[in-house]
Amino acid sequence: MPSVTGMTFEHEQLTIHKGQRSGLPVAIAVHSTTRGMAVGGCRLKHYADWRDGVADVLRLAEAMTYKTAVAGLPHGGGKTVVALPTAAPLSPARRREVLLDVGDAVESLGGRYGTGPDVGTGPADMVTVGERTRWAFCRPAEHGGSGDSSGPTAEGVLAAIGALCAHRFGSADVAGLRVTLIGLGNVGTHLAKALSSAGATLTVTDVDPGRRALADAVGATWVAPDEAATAPGDLLVPAALGGLLSPDVVPLLRCAAVAGPANNQLTGEHVAAMLHERGVLWLPDPVVSAGGVIYGTGVELRGLSPEAALAEVRGIGATVTRILRAGGSPHAAAKALARERLTAA
């Protein structure tokens, strides 16, 4: 993980609280409230140094501003990161301490920022965070929230893939396409089942070998994690952690297009240009992965019915079509759309 040193600070606010219960650093970055309250998930993750967590929270918050603007939401971007000192699982008591500390930190911002699940957290955790703040979203439905965001996120990914396939392959139907899916977490599981049902020839991987049972269940071919990115195919779907696409990997890709929900897929902005020059059609991950935030904020902040919120999620397909029709690099077109909406606000 790169250091904070040398990063350009364009955020409205960065706060680092030492949790009064856990003693751990709770970092919250608010990148922009130009379009409304900043939103972004809470990440609990081990970092070699807590300052690496600060670097991560700054990047992730900026990506959320990009994501919400391209999606047309009345929100800005923010993020929470708690840098865990070890990779060992937290005990239930320790986890509760951390989540209550997160709630205190979020509440201290007075409604400028609201949080939800991210890597290392889930809907049930937002109930605990919500004991200390009004601004915890995507709680289970029985607790008054919009529930698990993985289903809506996957719906948005499928809408994006359909639009991409129509543009690149002449049909939104994935039947017969060779699709490689990296990551079989909550969102990846939804995608594996949906893509297999739709007739894609599916290759999958995950760092957890126990997920191989899912591959067998959906009739997918299993490959080792270090072989997946460069496997031959039509479409690569990154659905694990970020940093997959680097200057070293791009020349080795053997796919026509890349579209997936993993955050921060590029190791640097210049990699988008490399992909475009190679003729690999890459959809920016903030566009593809916006389904969860569209659904959660729609139900919990704008009072939409679940059906109406899902209809907005499927609108990601129209956004992708607009970006692709702009011509040139999709990354540049999506950035231009985000700037246009932020300027208009």
Side-chain angles (χ1 to χ4, degrees), residues 162-176:
L164 178 148
C165 289
H167 180 87
R168 188 59 183 257
F169 305 117
S171 171
D173 191 350
V174 299

Side-chain angles (χ1 to χ4, degrees), residues 16-281:
I16 304 172
H17 297 253
K18 182 178 181 180
Q20 66 176 19
R21 303 166 189 83
S22 68
L24 296 178
V26 180
I28 299 179
V30 174
H31 180 260
S32 173
T33 56
T34 299
R35 291 177 59 86
M37 181 178 73
V39 294
C42 172
R43 177 168 293 198
L44 304 188
K45 182 184 172 187
H46 166 61
Y47 295 87
D49 188 296
W50 67 269
R51 285 162 291 199
D52 295 336
V54 174
D56 214 11
V57 81
L58 291 170
R59 277 187 292 273
L60 292 165
E62 183 175 4
M64 282 302 301
T65 294
Y66 178 13
K67 178 182 291 189
T68 54
V70 173
L73 295 176
H75 297 290
K79 208 75 173 184
T80 302
V81 166
V82 180
L84 302 180
T86 72
L90 296 170
S91 69
R94 182 68 165 160
R95 186 178 190 85
R96 178 173 171 79
E97 290 176 349
V98 172
L99 294 169
L100 291 174
D101 288 341
V102 168
D104 286 341
V106 172
E107 182 65 20
S108 73
L109 299 182
R112 285 173 53 80
Y113 164 75
T115 197
D118 196 82
V119 173
T121 60
D125 295 318
M126 294 304 106
V127 177
T128 305
V129 175
E131 292 180 26
R132 303 297 302 174
T133 182
R134 297 160 287 172
W135 312 112
F137 307 123
C138 296
R139 293 162 294 159
E142 60 268 27
H143 289 273
S146 57
D148 185 358
S149 64
S150 60
T153 299
E155 282 288 328
V157 176
L158 293 169
I161 287 174
L164 178 148
C165 289
H167 180 87
R168 188 59 183 257
F169 305 117
S171 171
D173 191 350
V174 299
L177 290 183
R178 298 169 300 162
V179 179
T180 301
L181 172 62
I182 299 177
L184 295 175
N186 291 338
V187 177
T189 295
H190 283 289
L191 293 174
K193 293 177 179 178
L195 292 167
S196 176
S197 296
T201 300
L202 197 59
T203 298
V204 301
T205 193
D206 194 277
V207 293
D208 178 4
R211 305 305 292 166
R212 190 163 188 163
L214 173 63
D216 295 338
V218 300
T221 299
W222 177 273
V223 295
D226 60 355
E227 298 174 358
T230 56
D234 300 302
L235 175 65
L236 178 64
V237 182
L241 294 178
L244 176 70
L245 301 173
S246 69
D248 293 332
V249 169
V250 169
L252 304 177
L253 293 175
R254 292 188 286 171
C255 58
V258 181
N263 291 320
N264 294 336
Q265 293 172 22
L266 308 181
T267 58
E269 291 274 313
H270 64 291
V271 179
M274 292 180 63
L275 288 161
H276 185 61
E277 289 165 6
R278 267 217 66 197
V280 176
L281 185 59

